[in-house]
Amino acid sequence: MLTRDDLQQRDADDPLAGSRELFTGDGPDGTWDDGPQRRIYLDGNSLGRLPRATPAALARVVEQEWGRGLVGSWSHWVSQAGRVGDQLAAGVLGARPGEVLVSDSTSVNLYKLLRAGVDARPGRDVLVTTADEFPTDRYVVSGVARERGLTVREVEADIDSGLDPAVLAAALDDRVAVVVLSLVAYRSGALLDLAAVTAAAREHGALVLWDLSHAVGAVEVDLSAADLAVGCTYKHLNGGPGAPAFLYVRRELQESMRQPIQGWFGQRDQFDMGPGYVPADGVDRFAVGTPPVLATAAVEVGAGITAEAGIAAVAAKGRALTDVLVQLLDERVPQVRLASPRDARARGAHVVVEHPQAWQLTQALVDRGVVPDYRMPDRVRFGPAPLCTRFVDLGDAVDRLADVLATDAHLQYPATRSRVT
Ligand SMILES: *Cc1c(COP(=O)(O)O)cnc(C)c1O
């Protein structure tokens, strides 16, 4: 049985313990309130915390670069998307310089790369994804299929254990143009083998477009084995609400790929203002319009913290935290069932539990200062951010959950869901 002393010892031994101070806490002036009533935020995989350095970095861009520099600052801003992309490539994605661009939203980047991938595989008429993929991915896949007259092969993925590689293998043949998959499943946290799945698709001449939204900043990603990827920066990378996403295109594929939105930021000689569109060389051809400079400045700070801490250390802490969380749930709340892979090597940095009153439990927890999120159909998801969460926080959060269940406090909350969960 894990005791609070055990958890405190884990915190004392944690090489990343100091990184918490790089983020704004819930106490006065953004300090950390470590008292027994404190808020315990376990939703770092939905919206990451605010880095302490971000407000000043944004103030500098606003006051100096925008306020004083005005249009002259474009000489610096114009390379920002690629510069922050390179920072992500080297620090957290295992990609080479010139392969990652920060731009648009994950949904828009999915659309751009999926269309580009389909056009790069002429004569093929099938897209593959799973029935359990994140909604925006399924919607973008079905939209592109409709636009291009393609068929979607939706393979079954277990909502707890994720996609079985053998099931995927059975759906691959030489009709498949692109396979769209999340590396870490948004609900269960199930983790796929990026290199093995990409290689299996390549054997059939198909491309895999990876969605790394729940993987980036949570697990080690080695894009040197991948062809195409997109992902969020506002979850584990702490880029802030609505922060621009990233896209990755393997260097060797870039020249042969064209994206569907022919904007002037993807044009070769942008300021020639020429009559026709000629895609830029390199990853810049996947840009569209004027980039969100302020929001990208926040991504640079947030992603910089993960890069500085080292993704191997961050991922190891994620596995340690979720292992401890699983053990605490087993020991203290047997009424809920773990609905994530038990083996830490088979999941990302979050775990989910099943309970018939999951939505009511979520509301009761939020009222008691524990912030998880509810996921359909009857799941409570806990995303302890490796850079900010302590082991004692997990013990205290599970105690509050045990207390809610023991007193049936959750039954006082409405069973009908609100709009945002
Ligand atoms: C969070 C998330 C997204 C979000 O896409 P947006 O365009 O930023 O809204 C997409 N895909 C997955 C798998 C996600 O987890």
Side-chain angles (χ1 to χ4, degrees):
M1 294 286 273
L2 279 171
T3 65
R4 201 162 199 280
D5 281 351
D6 296 333
L7 299 174
Q8 269 167 339
Q9 191 56 50
R10 295 292 299 261
D11 286 321
D13 297 340
D14 173 16
L16 285 185
S19 62
R20 188 172 177 251
E21 289 305 324
L22 300 173
F23 294 89
T24 307
D26 301 315
D29 302 329
T31 55
W32 288 87
D33 165 8
D34 288 336
Q37 307 299 322
R38 70 190 186 282
R39 181 165 71 170
I40 302 173
Y41 187 70
L42 300 178
D43 212 357
N45 57 334
S46 217
L47 179 64
R49 279 188 174 273
L50 169 66
R52 288 214 168 119
T54 298
L58 287 182
R60 192 181 53 75
V61 178
V62 171
E63 289 162 12
Q64 304 296 325
E65 298 183 12
W66 175 16
R68 308 264 164 77
L70 283 167
V71 78
S73 292
W74 272 112
S75 60
H76 169 68
W77 292 336
V78 81
S79 56
Q80 184 197 38
R83 187 179 70 247
V84 182
D86 284 346
Q87 175 200 29
L88 282 172
V92 295
L93 293 173
R96 295 169 288 180
E99 291 187 318
V100 177
L101 187 74
V102 172
S103 72
D104 303 307
S105 65
T106 302
S107 303
V108 172
N109 287 335
L110 263 169
Y111 176 74
K112 293 186 309 193
L113 294 197
L114 182 53
R115 278 284 307 264
V118 165
D119 288 349
R121 289 293 178 273
R124 290 172 177 247
D125 65 343
V126 172
L127 301 178
V128 172
T129 190
T130 79
D132 201 41
E133 218 44 60
F134 188 81
T136 214
D137 301 59
R138 287 184 281 111
Y139 305 154
V140 168
V141 167
S142 72
V144 168
R146 197 179 52 219
E147 250 176 31
R148 309 296 281 186
L150 310 173
T151 304
V152 180
R153 240 177 236 165
E154 232 179 43
V155 296
E156 285 307 314
D158 187 90
I159 84 164
D160 297 349
S161 60
L163 174 65
D164 177 347
V167 172
L168 176 66
L172 296 174
D173 58 30
D174 61 9
R175 286 177 59 191
V176 178
V178 186
V179 181
V180 175
L181 294 172
S182 287
L183 184 59
V184 170
Y186 77 99
R187 181 167 35 204
S188 67
L191 170 66
L192 287 173
D193 182 336
L194 180 144
V197 169
T198 303
R202 279 180 186 162
E203 268 178 38
H204 295 276
L207 295 162
V208 180
L209 169 47
W210 289 102
D211 188 331
L212 304 176
S213 293
H214 273 89
V216 63
V219 296
E220 287 138 306
V221 175
D222 179 10
L223 285 184
S224 72
D227 291 323
L228 304 170
V230 297
C232 288
T233 63
Y234 52 78
K235 294 173 177 165
H236 285 292
L237 292 182
N238 306 91
F246 63 86
L247 60 81
Y248 158 87
V249 181
R250 180 179 195 74
R251 190 188 288 159
E252 291 74 12
L253 291 175
Q254 291 174 359
E255 292 310 297
S256 64
M257 298 193 83
R258 277 181 79 131
Q259 58 123 334
I261 311 174
Q262 299 191 160
W264 70 318
F265 271 72
Q267 163 74 4
R268 173 171 290 159
D269 296 306
Q270 184 182 4
F271 286 97
D272 278 2
M273 309 271 177
Y277 176 83
V278 182
D281 291 332
V283 79
D284 286 348
R285 65 176 50 199
F286 301 97
V288 178
T290 305
V293 171
L294 296 178
T296 308
V299 174
E300 188 164 17
V301 177
I305 295 177
T306 294
E308 181 78 14
I311 189 62
V314 173
K317 171 96 182 274
R319 287 187 289 269
L321 283 169
T322 50
D323 266 343
V324 162
L325 180 55
V326 166
Q327 190 181 344
L328 290 164
L329 291 164
D330 283 347
E331 290 175 358
R332 302 185 190 181
V333 280
Q335 306 95 312
V336 303
R337 183 185 69 82
L338 181 69
S340 293
R342 258 189 194 274
D343 180 352
R345 290 164 304 178
R347 61 172 189 253
H350 65 271
V351 295
V352 80
V353 295
E354 181 190 13
H355 187 277
Q357 285 120 16
W359 168 234
Q360 288 163 294
L361 278 181
T362 305
Q363 297 168 86
L365 283 172
V366 170
D367 268 1
R368 285 155 184 78
V370 176
V371 186
D373 46 24
Y374 166 82
R375 281 292 170 266
M376 288 286 282
D378 48 13
R379 302 285 197 271
V380 185
R381 189 179 70 176
F382 301 100
L387 291 166
C388 311
T389 311
R390 298 173 308 171
F391 292 93
V392 284
D393 296 329
L394 299 178
D396 294 351
V398 174
D399 280 347
R400 293 187 207 173
L401 172 60
D403 185 59
V404 167
L405 283 162
T407 57
D408 276 340
H410 59 295
L411 297 181
Q412 291 157 19
Y413 292 84
T416 356
R417 270 185 305 130
S418 57
R419 181 160 180 264
V420 179
T421 62

Short mmCIF file of all heavy atoms in Angstrom, two decimals, residues 218-241:
data_model
loop_
_atom_site.label_atom_id
_atom_site.label_comp_id
_atom_site.label_asym_id
_atom_site.label_seq_id
_atom_site.Cartn_x
_atom_site.Cartn_y
_atom_site.Cartn_z
N ALA A 218 4.65 14.39 -24.03
CA ALA A 218 4.22 13.37 -23.07
C ALA A 218 5.06 12.09 -23.22
O ALA A 218 5.37 11.45 -22.23
CB ALA A 218 2.75 13.04 -23.27
N VAL A 219 5.36 11.73 -24.45
CA VAL A 219 6.17 10.53 -24.70
C VAL A 219 7.28 10.88 -25.69
O VAL A 219 7.22 11.91 -26.37
CB VAL A 219 5.32 9.36 -25.30
CG1 VAL A 219 4.26 8.90 -24.32
CG2 VAL A 219 4.70 9.75 -26.63
N GLU A 220 8.28 10.01 -25.78
CA GLU A 220 9.34 10.23 -26.75
C GLU A 220 8.80 9.94 -28.14
O GLU A 220 8.20 8.90 -28.36
CB GLU A 220 10.52 9.30 -26.44
CG GLU A 220 11.27 9.76 -25.20
CD GLU A 220 11.67 8.63 -24.30
OE1 GLU A 220 10.78 7.84 -23.91
OE2 GLU A 220 12.88 8.53 -24.00
N VAL A 221 8.99 10.89 -29.02
CA VAL A 221 8.53 10.73 -30.39
C VAL A 221 9.76 10.77 -31.29
O VAL A 221 10.62 11.63 -31.12
CB VAL A 221 7.57 11.89 -30.78
CG1 VAL A 221 7.18 11.79 -32.25
CG2 VAL A 221 6.32 11.88 -29.90
N ASP A 222 9.85 9.84 -32.22
CA ASP A 222 10.98 9.83 -33.14
C ASP A 222 10.46 9.95 -34.56
O ASP A 222 10.19 8.96 -35.23
CB ASP A 222 11.80 8.55 -32.96
CG ASP A 222 12.98 8.51 -33.93
OD1 ASP A 222 13.26 9.55 -34.57
OD2 ASP A 222 13.61 7.45 -34.03
N LEU A 223 10.30 11.20 -35.00
CA LEU A 223 9.72 11.40 -36.33
C LEU A 223 10.66 11.01 -37.46
O LEU A 223 10.24 11.00 -38.61
CB LEU A 223 9.25 12.85 -36.49
CG LEU A 223 7.96 13.21 -35.74
CD1 LEU A 223 7.55 14.64 -36.04
CD2 LEU A 223 6.82 12.26 -36.11
N SER A 224 11.90 10.66 -37.13
CA SER A 224 12.79 10.24 -38.22
C SER A 224 12.23 8.97 -38.87
O SER A 224 12.59 8.64 -40.00
CB SER A 224 14.22 10.02 -37.72
OG SER A 224 14.27 8.85 -36.92
N ALA A 225 11.32 8.28 -38.17
CA ALA A 225 10.71 7.08 -38.74
C ALA A 225 9.37 7.37 -39.41
O ALA A 225 8.69 6.45 -39.86
CB ALA A 225 10.53 6.02 -37.65
N ALA A 226 8.95 8.64 -39.44
CA ALA A 226 7.60 8.97 -39.93
C ALA A 226 7.64 9.75 -41.23
O ALA A 226 8.67 10.31 -41.61
CB ALA A 226 6.86 9.78 -38.86
N ASP A 227 6.49 9.80 -41.92
CA ASP A 227 6.37 10.58 -43.15
C ASP A 227 5.65 11.90 -42.92
O ASP A 227 6.09 12.94 -43.39
CB ASP A 227 5.63 9.75 -44.21
CG ASP A 227 6.48 8.57 -44.69
OD1 ASP A 227 7.71 8.75 -44.81
OD2 ASP A 227 5.92 7.49 -44.93
N LEU A 228 4.51 11.85 -42.22
CA LEU A 228 3.68 13.04 -42.03
C LEU A 228 3.15 13.06 -40.60
O LEU A 228 2.81 12.02 -40.05
CB LEU A 228 2.46 13.01 -42.96
CG LEU A 228 2.71 12.87 -44.46
CD1 LEU A 228 1.38 12.60 -45.18
CD2 LEU A 228 3.36 14.13 -45.01
N ALA A 229 3.05 14.26 -40.01
CA ALA A 229 2.48 14.35 -38.66
C ALA A 229 1.95 15.76 -38.41
O ALA A 229 2.38 16.73 -39.05
CB ALA A 229 3.53 14.00 -37.61
N VAL A 230 1.00 15.83 -37.48
CA VAL A 230 0.48 17.12 -37.00
C VAL A 230 0.31 16.99 -35.48
O VAL A 230 0.35 15.88 -34.95
CB VAL A 230 -0.89 17.47 -37.62
CG1 VAL A 230 -0.79 17.63 -39.13
CG2 VAL A 230 -1.95 16.41 -37.26
N GLY A 231 0.08 18.11 -34.81
CA GLY A 231 -0.21 18.01 -33.38
C GLY A 231 -0.40 19.36 -32.73
O GLY A 231 -0.12 20.41 -33.33
N CYS A 232 -0.90 19.31 -31.52
CA CYS A 232 -1.25 20.51 -30.73
C CYS A 232 -0.07 21.01 -29.92
O CYS A 232 0.77 20.24 -29.49
CB CYS A 232 -2.29 20.16 -29.69
SG CYS A 232 -3.90 19.85 -30.32
N THR A 233 -0.09 22.28 -29.59
CA THR A 233 0.92 22.84 -28.68
C THR A 233 0.30 23.37 -27.39
O THR A 233 1.02 23.87 -26.54
CB THR A 233 1.70 23.98 -29.36
OG1 THR A 233 0.78 25.04 -29.64
CG2 THR A 233 2.38 23.53 -30.63
N TYR A 234 -1.02 23.32 -27.28
CA TYR A 234 -1.64 23.89 -26.07
C TYR A 234 -1.90 22.85 -24.98
O TYR A 234 -2.36 23.18 -23.90
CB TYR A 234 -2.94 24.64 -26.40
CG TYR A 234 -3.96 23.85 -27.21
CD1 TYR A 234 -4.77 22.90 -26.62
CD2 TYR A 234 -4.11 24.09 -28.57
CE1 TYR A 234 -5.70 22.19 -27.34
CE2 TYR A 234 -5.03 23.39 -29.32
CZ TYR A 234 -5.82 22.43 -28.71
OH TYR A 234 -6.73 21.74 -29.45
N LYS A 235 -1.60 21.58 -25.28
CA LYS A 235 -1.77 20.53 -24.27
C LYS A 235 -0.47 20.40 -23.49
O LYS A 235 -0.15 21.29 -22.71
CB LYS A 235 -2.20 19.24 -24.97
CG LYS A 235 -3.60 19.40 -25.60
CD LYS A 235 -4.04 18.24 -26.45
CE LYS A 235 -5.47 18.50 -26.94
NZ LYS A 235 -5.86 17.61 -28.05
N HIS A 236 0.29 19.32 -23.72
CA HIS A 236 1.50 19.12 -22.92
C HIS A 236 2.60 20.14 -23.21
O HIS A 236 3.58 20.20 -22.47
CB HIS A 236 2.04 17.71 -23.12
CG HIS A 236 1.23 16.66 -22.40
ND1 HIS A 236 1.19 16.58 -21.04
CD2 HIS A 236 0.41 15.69 -22.86
CE1 HIS A 236 0.40 15.58 -20.68
NE2 HIS A 236 -0.09 15.02 -21.77
N LEU A 237 2.47 20.93 -24.28
CA LEU A 237 3.55 21.89 -24.56
C LEU A 237 3.28 23.28 -23.99
O LEU A 237 4.09 24.19 -24.18
CB LEU A 237 3.83 21.97 -26.06
CG LEU A 237 4.45 20.71 -26.68
CD1 LEU A 237 4.72 20.92 -28.16
CD2 LEU A 237 5.73 20.30 -25.97
N ASN A 238 2.14 23.47 -23.32
CA ASN A 238 1.90 24.71 -22.57
C ASN A 238 1.97 25.97 -23.43
O ASN A 238 2.45 27.01 -22.98
CB ASN A 238 2.92 24.82 -21.41
CG ASN A 238 2.90 23.58 -20.53
OD1 ASN A 238 3.66 22.63 -20.77
ND2 ASN A 238 2.03 23.55 -19.54
N GLY A 239 1.45 25.87 -24.65
CA GLY A 239 1.47 27.02 -25.56
C GLY A 239 0.32 28.00 -25.35
O GLY A 239 0.33 29.10 -25.90
N GLY A 240 -0.69 27.60 -24.57
CA GLY A 240 -1.82 28.51 -24.29
C GLY A 240 -3.02 28.22 -25.15
O GLY A 240 -2.92 27.58 -26.20
N PRO A 241 -4.20 28.70 -24.70
CA PRO A 241 -5.45 28.39 -25.40
C PRO A 241 -5.41 28.84 -26.86
O PRO A 241 -5.08 29.98 -27.15
CB PRO A 241 -6.51 29.16 -24.61
CG PRO A 241 -5.76 30.17 -23.80
CD PRO A 241 -4.40 29.60 -23.55
#
